[in-house]
């Protein structure tokens, strides 16, 4: 029996590994510290935060920053709207991406080249904000929930990524399915879809994060209907309303022992946590597909 021999690392390997560990540790600290700092500020008393010195832990713990946000009844409705647009928008975008990507991946599709070029050109050229606004108005999507969904159903980038992934799948699978009498839709949902889960999970995360964080379209198209307001837009309005407090006024309130006070910094920190946590809860479920889907989907074969 061959004995297990210990591999002796050379001096160069030890130096290389040490430098790698140091650099990775620095990256971890740089990545995590801002979030931990914001979390500490969000749970710290607003008046105490103005004095500075909050780094990793709150010095004077309070939940009033979150209470001041969550007491607004519009926040709950806005959260539901944001969740709905993220879920519905992601599902429809994935369905459209895989169907269109499958079509333009087929070599027997006559318009394959033309359609692919149209999608490619759309990634580089845009009509601009004003024509887009006029288009939404003429389609009667102003103050309509569909304005959050319809413009984002088809994404040229996502379609190209999924198409590259499908091009890497064995063509014999599709040919065998056709010989068995399977329709195109049956091939898509019974063969292509299960095999494309990694790349589909990747674009689902992209679309969901984009939909969840979006607020500009709410301001442009749905600001007149409070029932269609999104969480990000409501949190932005809360931040704007708190900016009327000057630092001097904040200190004056602190001198009057008014602990139920918010400042732009404290409310901004609490808003950031409220907006980030839902996406952070979704990410672990898609993480295992993320690297594989993005890598394979972006490089043919």
């Amino acid at each position: 029996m061959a004995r297990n021999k210990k591999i002796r690392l050379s001096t160069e390997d030890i130096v290389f590994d040490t430098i790698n560990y140091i650099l990775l540790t620095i990256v971890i600290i740089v990545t995590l510290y801002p979030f931990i700092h914001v979390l500490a500020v969000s749970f710290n008393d607003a008046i105490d935060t103005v004095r500075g010195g909050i780094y990793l832990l709150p010095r004077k713990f309070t939940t009033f920053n979150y209470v001041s946000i969550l007491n607004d009844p519009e926040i709950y409705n806005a959260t539901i709207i944001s969740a709905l647009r993220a879920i519905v928008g992601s599902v429809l975008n994935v369905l459209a991406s895989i169907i269109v990507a499958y079509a333009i991946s087929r070599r027997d599709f006559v318009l394959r080249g033309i359609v692919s070029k149209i999608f490619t050109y759309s990634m580089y050229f845009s009509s601009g904000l004003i024509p887009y606004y006029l288009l939404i108005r003429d389609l009667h999507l102003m103050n309509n929930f569909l304005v959050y969904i319809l413009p984002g159903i088809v994404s040229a980038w996502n379609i190209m990524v999924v198409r590259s992934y499908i091009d890497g799948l064995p063509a014999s699978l599709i040919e065998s399915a056709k010989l068995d009498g399977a329709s195109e839709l049956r091939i898509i949902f019974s063969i292509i879809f299960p095999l494309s889960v990694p790349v589909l999970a990747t674009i689902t995360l992209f679309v969901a994060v984009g939909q969840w964080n979006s607020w500009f379209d709410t301001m442009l198209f749905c600001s007149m209907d409070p029932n269609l307001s999104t969480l990000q837009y409501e949190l932005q309005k809360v931040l704007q309303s708190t900016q009327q407090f000057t630092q001097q006024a904040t200190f004056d309130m602190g001198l009057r022992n008014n602990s139920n006070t918010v400042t732009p910094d404290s409310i901004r920190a609490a808003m950031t946590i409220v907006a980030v946590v839902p996406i952070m809860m979704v990410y672990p479920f898609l993480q295992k597909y993320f690297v594989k889907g993005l890598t394979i989907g972006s490089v043919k074969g």
Side-chain angles (χ1 to χ4, degrees), residues 31-260:
T31 303
L32 291 181
Y33 174 73
F35 180 79
I36 296 175
H37 171 70
V38 171
L39 185 63
V41 172
S42 69
F43 280 107
N44 196 74
D45 180 72
I47 302 301
D48 184 71
T49 300
V50 174
R51 301 186 179 97
I54 306 298
Y55 300 107
L56 298 176
L57 297 174
R59 184 167 50 216
K60 189 175 180 182
F61 183 84
T62 182
T63 59
F64 184 75
N65 297 325
Y66 290 96
V67 172
S68 63
I69 295 176
L70 300 178
N71 273 346
D72 187 352
E74 294 182 355
I75 292 294
Y76 295 98
N77 181 72
T79 302
I80 295 174
I81 295 297
S82 292
L84 284 176
R85 68 175 295 181
I87 295 173
V88 176
S90 301
V91 171
L92 293 181
N93 184 279
V94 168
L95 290 176
S97 296
I98 192 170
I99 292 174
V100 177
Y102 172 76
I104 62 177
S105 69
R106 302 297 301 150
R107 298 187 181 277
D108 54 353
F109 179 45
V110 178
L111 300 178
R112 178 191 183 199
I114 297 177
V115 174
S116 297
K117 289 179 181 179
I118 292 175
F119 282 125
T120 302
Y121 293 154
S122 69
M123 295 168 60
Y124 295 99
F125 303 100
S126 173
S127 61
L129 180 60
I130 295 178
Y132 179 64
Y133 180 87
L134 296 177
L135 175 63
I136 296 298
R137 185 197 63 183
D138 293 341
L139 291 175
H140 304 288
L141 292 178
M142 301 292 291
N143 298 312
N144 191 326
F145 180 77
L146 293 178
V147 75
Y148 297 144
I149 307 300
L150 294 181
I153 287 181
V154 177
S155 170
W157 168 258
N158 292 343
I159 290 173
M160 292 303 174
V161 170
V162 177
R163 189 198 68 171
S164 298
Y165 190 95
I166 294 176
D167 285 340
L169 298 177
S172 58
L173 294 175
I174 299 175
E175 295 174 0
S176 299
K178 286 190 173 182
L179 290 176
D180 292 336
S183 63
E184 298 293 350
L185 288 178
R186 181 65 182 274
I187 293 174
I188 292 175
F189 292 105
S190 297
I191 299 177
I192 303 300
F193 191 92
L195 294 176
S196 304
V197 168
V199 70
L200 295 180
T202 301
I203 66 173
T204 298
L205 181 62
F206 286 160
V207 176
V209 171
Q211 289 279 19
W212 178 264
N213 290 333
S214 181
W215 63 269
F216 190 63
D217 53 358
T218 304
M219 183 183 71
L220 286 179
F221 308 124
C222 298
S223 58
M224 301 301 294
D225 189 350
N227 293 324
L228 293 177
S229 183
T230 57
L231 178 61
Q232 303 295 339
Y233 184 58
E234 287 298 324
L235 295 182
Q236 185 203 38
K237 291 195 298 184
V238 171
L239 177 60
Q240 291 177 346
S241 66
T242 59
Q243 288 178 342
Q244 61 185 339
F245 293 103
T246 62
Q247 296 295 336
Q248 185 60 46
T250 300
F251 278 116
D252 291 343
M253 283 186 263
L255 293 175
R256 292 197 296 269
N257 296 323
N258 184 2
S259 60
N260 292 338

